[in-house]
């Protein structure tokens, strides 16, 4: 329940060669596991209400950041900085 998506998940860290990692993935998939698709965790977190649309978009911005300033801006947005400011503005207008 404390994961990014709010769902149960498993993260596996493998120390070893690329071959070992690929073999572990192959064996897990043979048993019914599957690799997450690009953006799947952010989509699930958004659908579960764990993040808002601004934060979900910030994930892509963070990945694409090409400067320290762009990275810092996206990180602030991803942590909910803009969402909190917007909520404060909406709250004062009510």
């Amino acid at each position: 329940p404390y994961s990014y998506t709010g769902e149960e998940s498993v993260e596996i860290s493998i120390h070893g060669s690329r071959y070992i990692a690929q073999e572990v993935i192959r064996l897990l998939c043979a048993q019914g596991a599957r690799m997450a698709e690009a953006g799947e965790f952010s989509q699930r977190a958004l659908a579960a209400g764990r993040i808002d649309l601004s934060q979900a978009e910030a994930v892509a911005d963070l990945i694409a950041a090409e400067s320290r300033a762009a990275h810092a801006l996206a990180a602030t947005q991803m942590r909910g900085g803009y969402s909190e400011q917007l909520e404060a503005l909406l709250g004062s207008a009510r």
Side-chain angles (χ1 to χ4, degrees), residues 2 6-9 16 18 36 43 48 55 57-59 61-63 76-77 83 88 91:
Y2 303 107
E7 302 170 315
E8 292 185 4
S9 62
R18 181 179 295 257
Q43 288 175 343
Q55 291 170 300
E57 290 174 344
V59 174
D61 293 343
L62 193 60
I63 292 167
T76 296
Q77 184 178 345
S83 300

Side-chain angles (χ1 to χ4, degrees), residues 10-14 20-35:
V10 174
E11 182 174 325
I12 299 173
S13 177
I14 302 167
I20 296 295
Q22 289 174 340
E23 192 63 12
V24 168
I25 291 168
R26 185 189 67 74
L27 291 168
L28 289 169
C29 289
Q31 294 298 312
R34 68 173 182 81
M35 300 289 286

Side-chain angles (χ1 to χ4, degrees), residues 36-91:
E37 296 179 19
E40 182 175 347
F41 286 103
S42 293
Q43 288 175 343
R44 288 174 174 260
L46 179 62
R50 304 280 289 190
I51 61 173
D52 61 27
L53 184 57
S54 175
Q55 291 170 300
E57 290 174 344
V59 174
D61 293 343
L62 193 60
I63 292 167
E66 294 185 6
S67 69
R68 181 183 298 253
H71 183 272
L73 189 63
T76 296
Q77 184 178 345
M78 197 169 89
R79 286 190 297 269
Y82 296 134
S83 300
E84 290 170 4
Q85 291 175 6
L86 182 58
E87 186 59 37
L89 287 171
L90 291 173

